[in-house]
Amino acid sequence: MAAGELAEAAIARIERLDPRINAVILRRFERVREEARGGLPDGPFRGVPFLVKDSLCQIAGEPHHAAMRALKDAGYRSSHDSYLGARYKRAGFAILGKSNLSELALSPITDSVAYGPTRNPWDLRCTAGGSSGGAAAAVAAGFVPVAHGGDSGGSIRIPASACGVVGLKPSRGRITLGPDFGERFGQKSCEHVLTRSVRDSAAVLDACAGAAPGDPSIAPPPVRPWRDEVGADPGRLRIGFRTLRADERGWDAPCAAAVASTAALLADLGHEVEDDRPACLDVLEDRSMIETMHVIKYVHVASELARLGALIGRELGAGDVEPNTWSAADAARHVSGVQLMQAMAEQHRYARRLAGWWEGDFDILVTPTLATLPFRFKESGVEPGRLRKLDLSGAGGEDKPLGLATFTGHYNLSGQPAISLPLHWSGDGVPVGVQFIAAYGREDLLFRLAGQLETARPWAHRRPPAVTPVTPV
């Protein structure tokens, strides 16, 4: 199928289905038609329909709002391609537009004052996760086969789990954030894509990974193309797993069941699987890092508001952003330079303690991606920009904690690669992801194991009911 035909098929699907899902917030349909007629670059993905998350990755001349009402109202457009945006162009992707996210990509729920909620194709009453919720929903709904996302604490993996797709957070320094950023959120941020298959994730990493001059972190290069790892024998791995225990409140049983069934599958595949109390758990359960991460987040948000305000020529205030965003920026006023440096140092100490577990005999750690199923949106009384816009009530009327980043943010601190795979579904047909973490730089091992699991427990045949045509009776 020619590039123009691929683009038209994707555009038609978006126009038909996206009014219910709200995954694509900025459309460049006419522009991509012109590009397809004029000839897209002859890269490995020439003509493949693609979406860019409206956050770090920028496309010259296109709107760039980061789900902020102030930038949207100002009509701000990017002055340049980010290095990753240029790589996507060289790879030949047909960029159809920008996907939805939470404001400044700060929340694990995609719902902003500027653009509203992205709904989960598996259950339109539920969140698609976040902050890359628009990307995950678009891939799950079949708008595009691959979409860009970013991850500072789980923002690729969380929506991948919620929407039943593949989401890899690569190693720190694997993909450049330049030229606008060297690091973000204290070295926590990275970018990659959400896909339906493991091979697609590997192939895009082959095309777009690599440092740029001046990058503060540079991941070791692969021994061979990552796509060659998919289908390769991973060997007999030593795997530890962390599941949800009966004495822990706020979790959903399908999330625990997903890890338990995956552990059994791994054992059947010949791997050495440990019980659910690996020695790294004392680090994972160290809650002292939460305040440290908050300190770094507060200062980052305040810095971002100053930077973005300068782009539109005025200082941003409380009335320009959502309440949670302003609360974080306001809290930065009480953080001294010394406190910030201490928080950064503590983050590095924590990362070394965590990553040290992989220096022993273990190859992979398995955890739930999410501790809870995707939350439902309330249909009335909603105040955008506040987490209480979700229905957090569980069985028996007990409130659940937010809990969406419970198992994901640690590996942003350590810089390790982690992937969420759609290996389980709840009794109600909601996807439940399982997360796999390898040592720093070992995406090759993740791709080998993920490919083995995709073959053993395939998911390609599954389609969300919200986008599946109903067969007439």
Side-chain angles (χ1 to χ4, degrees), residues 390-464:
L390 298 173
D391 181 358
L392 305 184
S393 59
E398 294 182 1
D399 285 344
K400 295 179 181 178
L402 183 59
L404 289 177
T406 300
F407 293 103
T408 54
H410 310 82
Y411 313 104
N412 295 83
L413 292 173
S414 63
Q416 296 170 249
I419 192 169
S420 179
L421 301 177
L423 291 172
H424 192 79
W425 265 256
S426 73
D428 294 332
V430 175
V432 182
V434 179
Q435 179 179 225
F436 301 81
I437 307 99
Y440 179 74
R442 293 306 308 272
E443 286 91 341
D444 59 333
L445 194 58
L446 285 182
F447 283 132
R448 280 182 231 148
L449 180 60
Q452 184 184 51
L453 290 167
E454 186 177 23
T455 299
R457 188 177 289 174
W459 55 78
H461 62 287
R462 294 182 179 269
R463 291 290 187 275

Side-chain angles (χ1 to χ4, degrees), residues 3-4 30-42 46:
E30 292 306 317
R31 183 68 183 274
V32 82
R33 284 169 173 141
E34 293 174 6
E35 292 169 350
R37 287 193 296 268
L40 292 162
D42 192 21
R46 185 176 183 275

